[in-house]
Amino acid sequence: MNWDWQAAADAIPLLLEGLLVTVELTLLGSALAYALGLVLALLRRARIPVLSRVAWLFIEFIRSTPLLIQVFVLYWLVPPLTGITLSAFVTGVIALGVHYATYTAEVYRAGIEAVPKGQWEAAVALNLPRSRVWTAVVLPQAIPRVLPALGNYTISMFKETPLLLAIGVLDVLNRAKEVGAETFRVVEPYTLAGVLFLLVSLPASVLVRRWERRAERV
Amino acid sequence: MSNVPHIVSAILAGLATTIEAAVGGIIVTIVLSLIAGLALLSPRRFVRGVARVYVEVFRGTSEAVQLFWLYFVLPVLVGFQLVPLFAGILVLGLNHGAYGAEVVRGALRSVPKAQYEGAVALNLSPTQRMVRVLLPQAFAEMLPPFNNLFIQLLKSTALLSFISAGEITERGELLRPVFGADIGWIYGTELVLYLLLAVLITTGMRALERWAGRRLGRAPVARTELDLTVGGGGAG
């Protein structure tokens, strides 16, 4: 059995629908990861030891265990415990967002540590309140520097969304599976799924790399 | 509660497969990383090109897609089916090898240029330069990123449940419909097992780091963190 162009053409509309779902998951998951990661990074630096300790344990635990199992926990274990049932899509966004927040937290941390010490001292000398030190002095310098690294994690997330087919999210890979089951042809849908990923992630990584180089120069 | 021993032992039955997949994947990763990493620095354009295509294809397509492709499409194209565990090891190795190739390339390029010039001045052959001067120094640089990569690979073994390889995650999914009331125990056991394996990898890699540092006469890297720090991104 070889490549069949007709079967490939027939598969494309469904695969593109799946790609849209994958992109939506990635964008929403990224937004959550960026926000929650900053919170985790600030908690890590909190002056209350218990708080920074708990944040550290949370980060290490989430980073060392498989995303797939975290998805299962959210999807199968949280509803009976809390009475809240999440749709597969929302489960996916939360799982991706929380998982990658533990990575972005480290990125923010490095960015915050890279802010020169003199800036902190100047803020203290000016007698700025702690909240202003963060919002007016530290974060505006730290965040632009870490944006390319965050972009890299968005690309990683994009490539990890297919495992959400395990809970029935209709992403690219699940659509390919569907087409395969209906037409008994697996070569075209699975190969095209791979091609679609390449078509999105290759230009995206080229852009992020260029952006990284520009950020380094500044 | 009476189901707990059964659940734990049923999941433990998958531990050997998870370890086989992880160890096998790590071995393939190391081999491919070295080959592709060296090829990326080759003076020959063609060799560089082949390595670059390998790296970009495996980093650019999703790991789950690669697994499905290898397991479901390849048999149709070549006429024979891979054993699930073997297909899994191959995908884990091919995927992480592509990331590892960049690690090897970066580490080799970070060796100070004077070291290379010194080796040339001593009239060492290109192989001697690589084996005796460049690689030993680059090796120490590679260990922390490889630690992250291996943890990433360990976590990816959970994907093997998609092709019924019988590892930890799949064992748990087989239990779930039957022991619905005890799913907390199912996932709790799985998470603890993965965490233990991750700590094991990190401990081993840290020991290697200290050994490599000593061999190069470098002081051990000061760590502000406890020795548990693991993880790291599959970014790029």
Side-chain angles (χ1 to χ4, degrees), chain A residues 1 44 53 56 60 63-65 68-69 72 76 99 103 153 156 159 162 191 194 201-202 209, chain B residues 56 59-62 69 99 155 158 176 183 187 190 194 225-226 230-236:
Chain A
M1 186 157 103
R44 282 286 278 117
R53 201 89 194 129
W56 174 75
E60 294 302 331
R63 278 160 71 114
S64 338
T65 51
L68 182 60
I69 297 183
F72 286 147
W76 297 112
H99 192 84
Y103 292 112
Y153 281 120
S156 301
K159 287 177 288 191
T191 308
S201 66
L202 270 188
R209 248 172 259 168
Chain B
E56 295 301 338
R59 292 203 316 177
T61 54
S62 167
W69 200 91
Y99 288 96
K155 294 193 291 175
R176 185 170 44 76
I183 43 177
Y187 293 125
E190 290 176 26
Y194 281 108
E225 295 289 310
L226 273 175
V230 291

mmCIF file of all heavy atoms in Angstrom, chain A residues 1 44 53 56 60 63-65 68-69 72 76 99 103 153 156 159 162 191 194 201-202 209, chain B residues 56 59-62 69 99 155 158 176 183 187 190 194 225-226 230-236:
data_model
loop_
_atom_site.group_PDB
_atom_site.id
_atom_site.type_symbol
_atom_site.label_atom_id
_atom_site.label_comp_id
_atom_site.label_asym_id
_atom_site.label_seq_id
_atom_site.Cartn_x
_atom_site.Cartn_y
_atom_site.Cartn_z
ATOM 1 N N MET A 1 0.846 -1.199 0.000
ATOM 2 C CA MET A 1 0.000 0.000 0.000
ATOM 3 C C MET A 1 0.881 1.248 0.000
ATOM 4 O O MET A 1 1.844 1.333 0.735
ATOM 5 C CB MET A 1 -0.868 0.004 1.264
ATOM 6 C CG MET A 1 -1.863 1.121 1.267
ATOM 7 S SD MET A 1 -3.250 0.762 2.331
ATOM 8 C CE MET A 1 -2.865 1.753 3.762
ATOM 9 N N ARG A 44 8.326 31.505 45.196
ATOM 10 C CA ARG A 44 9.644 30.932 45.490
ATOM 11 C C ARG A 44 10.530 31.936 46.220
ATOM 12 O O ARG A 44 11.375 31.576 47.012
ATOM 13 C CB ARG A 44 10.349 30.507 44.196
ATOM 14 C CG ARG A 44 9.904 29.245 43.590
ATOM 15 C CD ARG A 44 10.387 28.014 44.350
ATOM 16 N NE ARG A 44 11.754 27.617 44.032
ATOM 17 C CZ ARG A 44 12.748 27.609 44.893
ATOM 18 N NH1 ARG A 44 12.555 28.002 46.120
ATOM 19 N NH2 ARG A 44 13.940 27.217 44.548
ATOM 20 N N ARG A 53 8.961 27.104 50.317
ATOM 21 C CA ARG A 53 9.217 25.664 50.383
ATOM 22 C C ARG A 53 8.122 24.894 49.641
ATOM 23 O O ARG A 53 8.402 23.977 48.858
ATOM 24 C CB ARG A 53 9.225 25.273 51.854
ATOM 25 C CG ARG A 53 9.913 24.015 52.146
ATOM 26 C CD ARG A 53 11.387 24.246 52.402
ATOM 27 N NE ARG A 53 12.047 22.962 52.346
ATOM 28 C CZ ARG A 53 13.109 22.714 51.615
ATOM 29 N NH1 ARG A 53 13.620 23.660 50.863
ATOM 30 N NH2 ARG A 53 13.642 21.526 51.614
ATOM 31 N N TRP A 56 8.401 25.354 45.992
ATOM 32 C CA TRP A 56 9.515 24.567 45.460
ATOM 33 C C TRP A 56 9.120 23.104 45.299
ATOM 34 O O TRP A 56 9.360 22.483 44.257
ATOM 35 C CB TRP A 56 10.718 24.694 46.395
ATOM 36 C CG TRP A 56 11.865 23.811 46.031
ATOM 37 C CD1 TRP A 56 12.734 24.007 45.008
ATOM 38 C CD2 TRP A 56 12.234 22.578 46.659
ATOM 39 N NE1 TRP A 56 13.634 22.978 44.962
ATOM 40 C CE2 TRP A 56 13.361 22.082 45.970
ATOM 41 C CE3 TRP A 56 11.733 21.861 47.740
ATOM 42 C CZ2 TRP A 56 13.989 20.886 46.316
ATOM 43 C CZ3 TRP A 56 12.371 20.674 48.092
ATOM 44 C CH2 TRP A 56 13.477 20.203 47.387
ATOM 45 N N GLU A 60 8.965 20.956 41.761
ATOM 46 C CA GLU A 60 9.746 19.736 41.544
ATOM 47 C C GLU A 60 8.848 18.532 41.266
ATOM 48 O O GLU A 60 9.155 17.703 40.423
ATOM 49 C CB GLU A 60 10.630 19.438 42.762
ATOM 50 C CG GLU A 60 11.726 20.451 43.011
ATOM 51 C CD GLU A 60 12.661 20.613 41.820
ATOM 52 O OE1 GLU A 60 12.838 19.646 41.056
ATOM 53 O OE2 GLU A 60 13.194 21.716 41.649
ATOM 54 N N ARG A 63 7.221 18.829 37.754
ATOM 55 C CA ARG A 63 8.211 18.657 36.689
ATOM 56 C C ARG A 63 8.728 17.246 36.557
ATOM 57 O O ARG A 63 9.216 16.865 35.507
ATOM 58 C CB ARG A 63 9.417 19.576 36.961
ATOM 59 C CG ARG A 63 9.221 20.973 36.528
ATOM 60 C CD ARG A 63 10.187 21.873 37.240
ATOM 61 N NE ARG A 63 11.547 21.672 36.776
ATOM 62 C CZ ARG A 63 12.249 22.586 36.125
ATOM 63 N NH1 ARG A 63 11.704 23.730 35.858
ATOM 64 N NH2 ARG A 63 13.460 22.358 35.754
ATOM 65 N N SER A 64 8.684 16.461 37.642
ATOM 66 C CA SER A 64 9.266 15.126 37.569
ATOM 67 C C SER A 64 8.263 14.031 37.251
ATOM 68 O O SER A 64 8.639 12.874 37.182
ATOM 69 C CB SER A 64 9.973 14.744 38.865
ATOM 70 O OG SER A 64 10.312 15.865 39.592
ATOM 71 N N THR A 65 6.995 14.380 37.116
ATOM 72 C CA THR A 65 6.016 13.335 36.833
ATOM 73 C C THR A 65 5.348 13.606 35.480
ATOM 74 O O THR A 65 5.270 14.748 35.035
ATOM 75 C CB THR A 65 4.951 13.260 37.942
ATOM 76 O OG1 THR A 65 4.426 14.566 38.168
ATOM 77 C CG2 THR A 65 5.542 12.739 39.236
ATOM 78 N N LEU A 68 0.895 13.218 31.191
ATOM 79 C CA LEU A 68 -0.258 12.356 30.903
ATOM 80 C C LEU A 68 -0.978 11.952 32.191
ATOM 81 O O LEU A 68 -2.208 11.958 32.260
ATOM 82 C CB LEU A 68 0.207 11.106 30.139
ATOM 83 C CG LEU A 68 -0.879 10.127 29.713
ATOM 84 C CD1 LEU A 68 -1.899 10.780 28.797
ATOM 85 C CD2 LEU A 68 -0.284 8.903 29.034
ATOM 86 N N ILE A 69 -0.217 11.612 33.225
ATOM 87 C CA ILE A 69 -0.850 11.194 34.477
ATOM 88 C C ILE A 69 -1.508 12.385 35.159
ATOM 89 O O ILE A 69 -2.577 12.267 35.754
ATOM 90 C CB ILE A 69 0.186 10.520 35.391
ATOM 91 C CG1 ILE A 69 0.696 9.269 34.691
ATOM 92 C CG2 ILE A 69 -0.422 10.155 36.739
ATOM 93 C CD1 ILE A 69 1.656 8.464 35.483
ATOM 94 N N PHE A 72 -4.774 12.685 33.617
ATOM 95 C CA PHE A 72 -5.702 11.676 34.154
ATOM 96 C C PHE A 72 -6.203 12.073 35.535
ATOM 97 O O PHE A 72 -7.384 11.917 35.849
ATOM 98 C CB PHE A 72 -5.016 10.305 34.232
ATOM 99 C CG PHE A 72 -4.829 9.641 32.901
ATOM 100 C CD1 PHE A 72 -3.733 8.831 32.658
ATOM 101 C CD2 PHE A 72 -5.766 9.816 31.882
ATOM 102 C CE1 PHE A 72 -3.561 8.209 31.430
ATOM 103 C CE2 PHE A 72 -5.609 9.201 30.659
ATOM 104 C CZ PHE A 72 -4.496 8.394 30.428
ATOM 105 N N TRP A 76 -10.069 12.350 36.012
ATOM 106 C CA TRP A 76 -10.769 11.250 36.674
ATOM 107 C C TRP A 76 -10.850 11.397 38.186
ATOM 108 O O TRP A 76 -11.744 10.868 38.816
ATOM 109 C CB TRP A 76 -10.076 9.915 36.363
ATOM 110 C CG TRP A 76 -10.082 9.553 34.925
ATOM 111 C CD1 TRP A 76 -9.002 9.491 34.092
ATOM 112 C CD2 TRP A 76 -11.218 9.195 34.114
ATOM 113 N NE1 TRP A 76 -9.392 9.128 32.833
ATOM 114 C CE2 TRP A 76 -10.739 8.940 32.811
ATOM 115 C CE3 TRP A 76 -12.584 9.076 34.375
ATOM 116 C CZ2 TRP A 76 -11.570 8.577 31.770
ATOM 117 C CZ3 TRP A 76 -13.414 8.706 33.337
ATOM 118 C CH2 TRP A 76 -12.911 8.460 32.045
ATOM 119 N N HIS A 99 1.412 22.385 34.230
ATOM 120 C CA HIS A 99 2.673 21.677 33.982
ATOM 121 C C HIS A 99 3.748 22.655 33.508
ATOM 122 O O HIS A 99 4.851 22.686 34.040
ATOM 123 C CB HIS A 99 2.459 20.579 32.942
ATOM 124 C CG HIS A 99 3.607 19.626 32.837
ATOM 125 N ND1 HIS A 99 3.750 18.552 33.673
ATOM 126 C CD2 HIS A 99 4.671 19.590 32.011
ATOM 127 C CE1 HIS A 99 4.864 17.898 33.365
ATOM 128 N NE2 HIS A 99 5.439 18.508 32.346
ATOM 129 N N TYR A 103 7.854 25.163 34.559
ATOM 130 C CA TYR A 103 9.032 25.506 33.764
ATOM 131 C C TYR A 103 9.187 27.023 33.642
ATOM 132 O O TYR A 103 10.285 27.554 33.789
ATOM 133 C CB TYR A 103 8.934 24.901 32.359
ATOM 134 C CG TYR A 103 9.032 23.409 32.345
ATOM 135 C CD1 TYR A 103 7.942 22.623 31.999
ATOM 136 C CD2 TYR A 103 10.216 22.776 32.693
ATOM 137 C CE1 TYR A 103 8.030 21.244 31.991
ATOM 138 C CE2 TYR A 103 10.319 21.401 32.688
ATOM 139 C CZ TYR A 103 9.219 20.639 32.330
ATOM 140 O OH TYR A 103 9.310 19.283 32.334
ATOM 141 N N TYR A 153 8.811 27.491 25.330
ATOM 142 C CA TYR A 153 7.940 26.578 26.047
ATOM 143 C C TYR A 153 6.567 26.478 25.397
ATOM 144 O O TYR A 153 5.911 25.442 25.464
ATOM 145 C CB TYR A 153 7.833 26.980 27.527
ATOM 146 C CG TYR A 153 9.046 26.516 28.285
ATOM 147 C CD1 TYR A 153 9.883 27.402 28.936
ATOM 148 C CD2 TYR A 153 9.364 25.168 28.306
ATOM 149 C CE1 TYR A 153 11.004 26.962 29.605
ATOM 150 C CE2 TYR A 153 10.483 24.717 28.966
ATOM 151 C CZ TYR A 153 11.305 25.619 29.622
ATOM 152 O OH TYR A 153 12.414 25.173 30.265
ATOM 153 N N SER A 156 7.056 23.878 22.817
ATOM 154 C CA SER A 156 7.076 22.542 23.433
ATOM 155 C C SER A 156 5.664 22.089 23.772
ATOM 156 O O SER A 156 5.300 20.928 23.574
ATOM 157 C CB SER A 156 7.881 22.549 24.730
ATOM 158 O OG SER A 156 9.182 22.953 24.492
ATOM 159 N N LYS A 159 3.699 20.776 20.931
ATOM 160 C CA LYS A 159 4.042 19.419 20.525
ATOM 161 C C LYS A 159 3.590 18.377 21.533
ATOM 162 O O LYS A 159 3.600 17.196 21.241
ATOM 163 C CB LYS A 159 5.559 19.316 20.300
ATOM 164 C CG LYS A 159 5.970 20.033 19.030
ATOM 165 C CD LYS A 159 7.462 20.016 18.835
ATOM 166 C CE LYS A 159 8.149 20.922 19.820
ATOM 167 N NZ LYS A 159 9.578 21.122 19.483
ATOM 168 N N PRO A 162 -0.904 16.485 21.726
ATOM 169 C CA PRO A 162 -1.546 15.261 21.234
ATOM 170 C C PRO A 162 -1.837 14.222 22.302
ATOM 171 O O PRO A 162 -2.735 13.407 22.113
ATOM 172 C CB PRO A 162 -0.543 14.719 20.209
ATOM 173 C CG PRO A 162 0.202 15.886 19.751
ATOM 174 C CD PRO A 162 0.285 16.818 20.912
ATOM 175 N N THR A 191 0.752 10.613 8.588
ATOM 176 C CA THR A 191 1.866 11.342 7.992
ATOM 177 C C THR A 191 1.524 12.830 7.892
ATOM 178 O O THR A 191 2.346 13.691 8.231
ATOM 179 C CB THR A 191 2.180 10.779 6.597
ATOM 180 O OG1 THR A 191 2.347 9.365 6.715
ATOM 181 C CG2 THR A 191 3.443 11.394 6.022
ATOM 182 N N GLY A 194 1.914 14.641 11.133
ATOM 183 C CA GLY A 194 3.302 15.016 11.377
ATOM 184 C C GLY A 194 3.701 16.239 10.572
ATOM 185 O O GLY A 194 4.351 17.156 11.087
ATOM 186 N N SER A 201 5.584 24.241 13.761
ATOM 187 C CA SER A 201 6.644 24.421 14.762
ATOM 188 C C SER A 201 7.970 24.872 14.149
ATOM 189 O O SER A 201 8.727 25.580 14.804
ATOM 190 C CB SER A 201 6.826 23.157 15.595
ATOM 191 O OG SER A 201 7.306 22.116 14.798
ATOM 192 N N LEU A 202 8.253 24.491 12.889
ATOM 193 C CA LEU A 202 9.513 24.947 12.288
ATOM 194 C C LEU A 202 9.575 26.470 12.149
ATOM 195 O O LEU A 202 10.497 27.093 12.667
ATOM 196 C CB LEU A 202 9.755 24.279 10.934
ATOM 197 C CG LEU A 202 10.524 22.956 10.951
ATOM 198 C CD1 LEU A 202 10.861 22.527 9.530
ATOM 199 C CD2 LEU A 202 11.793 23.083 11.768
ATOM 200 N N ARG A 209 14.097 31.808 17.618
ATOM 201 C CA ARG A 209 15.558 31.881 17.600
ATOM 202 C C ARG A 209 16.028 33.277 17.196
ATOM 203 O O ARG A 209 16.966 33.820 17.760
ATOM 204 C CB ARG A 209 16.129 30.837 16.636
ATOM 205 C CG ARG A 209 16.891 29.746 17.365
ATOM 206 C CD ARG A 209 17.265 28.632 16.430
ATOM 207 N NE ARG A 209 16.366 27.497 16.575
ATOM 208 C CZ ARG A 209 16.317 26.481 15.723
ATOM 209 N NH1 ARG A 209 17.072 26.473 14.641
ATOM 210 N NH2 ARG A 209 15.495 25.476 15.946
ATOM 211 N N GLU B 56 15.710 18.517 13.034
ATOM 212 C CA GLU B 56 14.518 19.378 12.888
ATOM 213 C C GLU B 56 13.242 18.555 12.757
ATOM 214 O O GLU B 56 12.200 18.924 13.286
ATOM 215 C CB GLU B 56 14.673 20.326 11.696
ATOM 216 C CG GLU B 56 15.791 21.351 11.847
ATOM 217 C CD GLU B 56 15.632 22.259 13.074
ATOM 218 O OE1 GLU B 56 14.508 22.407 13.587
ATOM 219 O OE2 GLU B 56 16.668 22.799 13.528
ATOM 220 N N ARG B 59 12.456 17.109 16.246
ATOM 221 C CA ARG B 59 12.072 18.138 17.217
ATOM 222 C C ARG B 59 10.804 18.855 16.787
ATOM 223 O O ARG B 59 10.097 19.418 17.614
ATOM 224 C CB ARG B 59 13.198 19.160 17.403
ATOM 225 C CG ARG B 59 14.408 18.572 18.072
ATOM 226 C CD ARG B 59 15.249 19.610 18.725
ATOM 227 N NE ARG B 59 15.432 20.788 17.875
ATOM 228 C CZ ARG B 59 16.086 21.852 18.256
ATOM 229 N NH1 ARG B 59 16.602 21.922 19.450
ATOM 230 N NH2 ARG B 59 16.234 22.857 17.443
ATOM 231 N N GLY B 60 10.543 18.834 15.493
ATOM 232 C CA GLY B 60 9.425 19.629 14.985
ATOM 233 C C GLY B 60 8.091 18.909 14.987
ATOM 234 O O GLY B 60 7.046 19.538 15.001
ATOM 235 N N THR B 61 8.118 17.562 14.966
ATOM 236 C CA THR B 61 6.848 16.832 15.004
ATOM 237 C C THR B 61 6.653 16.339 16.426
ATOM 238 O O THR B 61 7.600 16.168 17.161
ATOM 239 C CB THR B 61 6.876 15.635 14.038
ATOM 240 O OG1 THR B 61 8.015 14.835 14.333
ATOM 241 C CG2 THR B 61 6.971 16.094 12.602
ATOM 242 N N SER B 62 5.426 16.119 16.775
ATOM 243 C CA SER B 62 5.130 15.727 18.147
ATOM 244 C C SER B 62 5.572 14.294 18.432
ATOM 245 O O SER B 62 5.533 13.424 17.566
ATOM 246 C CB SER B 62 3.638 15.872 18.368
ATOM 247 O OG SER B 62 3.268 15.242 19.539
ATOM 248 N N TRP B 69 3.041 7.051 14.236
ATOM 249 C CA TRP B 69 3.531 6.829 12.880
ATOM 250 C C TRP B 69 4.354 5.551 12.835
ATOM 251 O O TRP B 69 4.146 4.678 11.995
ATOM 252 C CB TRP B 69 4.370 8.030 12.421
ATOM 253 C CG TRP B 69 4.481 8.088 10.935
ATOM 254 C CD1 TRP B 69 3.656 8.754 10.080
ATOM 255 C CD2 TRP B 69 5.464 7.444 10.119
ATOM 256 N NE1 TRP B 69 4.055 8.561 8.785
ATOM 257 C CE2 TRP B 69 5.171 7.754 8.776
ATOM 258 C CE3 TRP B 69 6.565 6.636 10.393
ATOM 259 C CZ2 TRP B 69 5.923 7.291 7.714
ATOM 260 C CZ3 TRP B 69 7.320 6.164 9.328
ATOM 261 C CH2 TRP B 69 6.998 6.490 8.007
ATOM 262 N N TYR B 99 17.131 16.199 20.440
ATOM 263 C CA TYR B 99 17.423 17.272 21.398
ATOM 264 C C TYR B 99 18.857 17.140 21.907
ATOM 265 O O TYR B 99 19.567 18.121 22.074
ATOM 266 C CB TYR B 99 16.445 17.220 22.579
ATOM 267 C CG TYR B 99 15.046 17.651 22.214
ATOM 268 C CD1 TYR B 99 14.074 16.723 21.888
ATOM 269 C CD2 TYR B 99 14.708 19.001 22.171
ATOM 270 C CE1 TYR B 99 12.795 17.112 21.540
ATOM 271 C CE2 TYR B 99 13.443 19.403 21.828
ATOM 272 C CZ TYR B 99 12.486 18.451 21.512
ATOM 273 O OH TYR B 99 11.230 18.851 21.157
ATOM 274 N N LYS B 155 9.517 10.654 31.655
ATOM 275 C CA LYS B 155 8.112 11.062 31.674
ATOM 276 C C LYS B 155 7.409 10.628 30.387
ATOM 277 O O LYS B 155 6.235 10.296 30.388
ATOM 278 C CB LYS B 155 8.005 12.585 31.853
ATOM 279 C CG LYS B 155 8.507 13.044 33.198
ATOM 280 C CD LYS B 155 8.104 14.471 33.481
ATOM 281 C CE LYS B 155 8.819 15.454 32.595
ATOM 282 N NZ LYS B 155 8.340 16.828 32.788
ATOM 283 N N ALA B 158 5.336 7.292 29.612
ATOM 284 C CA ALA B 158 3.894 7.162 29.851
ATOM 285 C C ALA B 158 3.127 7.086 28.535
ATOM 286 O O ALA B 158 2.051 6.480 28.464
ATOM 287 C CB ALA B 158 3.387 8.329 30.693
ATOM 288 N N ARG B 176 -8.440 1.253 36.171
ATOM 289 C CA ARG B 176 -9.379 2.330 36.474
ATOM 290 C C ARG B 176 -10.849 1.944 36.337
ATOM 291 O O ARG B 176 -11.642 2.212 37.261
ATOM 292 C CB ARG B 176 -9.065 3.568 35.623
ATOM 293 C CG ARG B 176 -9.921 4.766 35.965
ATOM 294 C CD ARG B 176 -9.439 6.030 35.302
ATOM 295 N NE ARG B 176 -9.094 5.842 33.915
ATOM 296 C CZ ARG B 176 -9.972 5.724 32.939
ATOM 297 N NH1 ARG B 176 -11.250 5.761 33.196
ATOM 298 N NH2 ARG B 176 -9.566 5.554 31.700
ATOM 299 N N ILE B 183 -9.353 5.247 42.530
ATOM 300 C CA ILE B 183 -8.423 5.818 41.548
ATOM 301 C C ILE B 183 -7.377 6.703 42.202
ATOM 302 O O ILE B 183 -6.305 6.879 41.657
ATOM 303 C CB ILE B 183 -9.119 6.592 40.404
ATOM 304 C CG1 ILE B 183 -10.230 7.457 40.939
ATOM 305 C CG2 ILE B 183 -9.584 5.680 39.317
ATOM 306 C CD1 ILE B 183 -10.864 8.282 39.855
ATOM 307 N N TYR B 187 -3.481 6.479 40.811
ATOM 308 C CA TYR B 187 -2.621 7.555 40.326
ATOM 309 C C TYR B 187 -1.559 7.936 41.344
ATOM 310 O O TYR B 187 -0.452 8.311 40.976
ATOM 311 C CB TYR B 187 -3.465 8.761 39.899
ATOM 312 C CG TYR B 187 -4.288 8.442 38.683
ATOM 313 C CD1 TYR B 187 -5.669 8.611 38.664
ATOM 314 C CD2 TYR B 187 -3.674 7.928 37.550
ATOM 315 C CE1 TYR B 187 -6.413 8.284 37.553
ATOM 316 C CE2 TYR B 187 -4.410 7.586 36.444
ATOM 317 C CZ TYR B 187 -5.786 7.765 36.446
ATOM 318 O OH TYR B 187 -6.506 7.432 35.344
ATOM 319 N N GLU B 190 1.279 5.531 40.827
ATOM 320 C CA GLU B 190 2.012 5.867 39.598
ATOM 321 C C GLU B 190 2.913 7.076 39.814
ATOM 322 O O GLU B 190 4.092 7.058 39.445
ATOM 323 C CB GLU B 190 1.026 6.170 38.460
ATOM 324 C CG GLU B 190 0.284 4.953 37.954
ATOM 325 C CD GLU B 190 -0.742 5.301 36.896
ATOM 326 O OE1 GLU B 190 -0.569 6.335 36.218
ATOM 327 O OE2 GLU B 190 -1.724 4.558 36.746
ATOM 328 N N TYR B 194 7.068 7.284 39.412
ATOM 329 C CA TYR B 194 7.783 8.158 38.473
ATOM 330 C C TYR B 194 8.716 9.110 39.223
ATOM 331 O O TYR B 194 9.833 9.370 38.791
ATOM 332 C CB TYR B 194 6.806 8.957 37.618
ATOM 333 C CG TYR B 194 6.226 8.151 36.487
ATOM 334 C CD1 TYR B 194 4.912 7.731 36.514
ATOM 335 C CD2 TYR B 194 7.008 7.793 35.390
ATOM 336 C CE1 TYR B 194 4.375 6.980 35.483
ATOM 337 C CE2 TYR B 194 6.485 7.051 34.355
ATOM 338 C CZ TYR B 194 5.160 6.644 34.405
ATOM 339 O OH TYR B 194 4.647 5.900 33.385
ATOM 340 N N GLU B 225 20.390 24.727 45.426
ATOM 341 C CA GLU B 225 19.212 23.904 45.637
ATOM 342 C C GLU B 225 19.584 22.633 46.397
ATOM 343 O O GLU B 225 20.738 22.241 46.430
ATOM 344 C CB GLU B 225 18.621 23.492 44.296
ATOM 345 C CG GLU B 225 18.088 24.648 43.498
ATOM 346 C CD GLU B 225 16.828 25.191 44.105
ATOM 347 O OE1 GLU B 225 15.922 24.395 44.395
ATOM 348 O OE2 GLU B 225 16.750 26.404 44.308
ATOM 349 N N LEU B 226 18.583 21.977 46.939
ATOM 350 C CA LEU B 226 18.797 20.632 47.428
ATOM 351 C C LEU B 226 19.071 19.753 46.223
ATOM 352 O O LEU B 226 18.774 20.110 45.098
ATOM 353 C CB LEU B 226 17.542 20.120 48.147
ATOM 354 C CG LEU B 226 17.469 20.470 49.617
ATOM 355 C CD1 LEU B 226 16.134 20.006 50.169
ATOM 356 C CD2 LEU B 226 18.593 19.785 50.378
ATOM 357 N N VAL B 230 15.240 18.570 39.509
ATOM 358 C CA VAL B 230 15.178 17.805 38.270
ATOM 359 C C VAL B 230 14.336 18.563 37.259
ATOM 360 O O VAL B 230 13.871 19.675 37.522
ATOM 361 C CB VAL B 230 14.561 16.414 38.499
ATOM 362 C CG1 VAL B 230 15.471 15.549 39.313
ATOM 363 C CG2 VAL B 230 13.220 16.540 39.160
ATOM 364 N N GLY B 231 14.139 17.953 36.128
ATOM 365 C CA GLY B 231 13.257 18.578 35.144
ATOM 366 C C GLY B 231 14.039 19.446 34.204
ATOM 367 O O GLY B 231 15.237 19.293 34.034
ATOM 368 N N GLY B 232 13.357 20.357 33.544
ATOM 369 C CA GLY B 232 14.002 21.161 32.520
ATOM 370 C C GLY B 232 13.201 20.986 31.266
ATOM 371 O O GLY B 232 12.452 20.027 31.124
ATOM 372 N N GLY B 233 13.322 21.898 30.363
ATOM 373 C CA GLY B 233 12.380 21.918 29.255
ATOM 374 C C GLY B 233 12.833 21.105 28.085
ATOM 375 O O GLY B 233 14.013 20.918 27.854
ATOM 376 N N GLY B 234 11.886 20.650 27.327
ATOM 377 C CA GLY B 234 12.186 20.123 26.008
ATOM 378 C C GLY B 234 12.094 21.262 25.036
ATOM 379 O O GLY B 234 11.525 21.120 23.961
ATOM 380 N N ALA B 235 12.629 22.398 25.422
ATOM 381 C CA ALA B 235 12.404 23.596 24.606
ATOM 382 C C ALA B 235 13.229 23.563 23.330
ATOM 383 O O ALA B 235 14.263 22.910 23.270
ATOM 384 C CB ALA B 235 12.788 24.817 25.412
ATOM 385 N N GLY B 236 12.778 24.263 22.335
ATOM 386 C CA GLY B 236 13.595 24.446 21.146
ATOM 387 C C GLY B 236 12.944 24.005 19.879
ATOM 388 O O GLY B 236 12.038 23.274 19.796
#
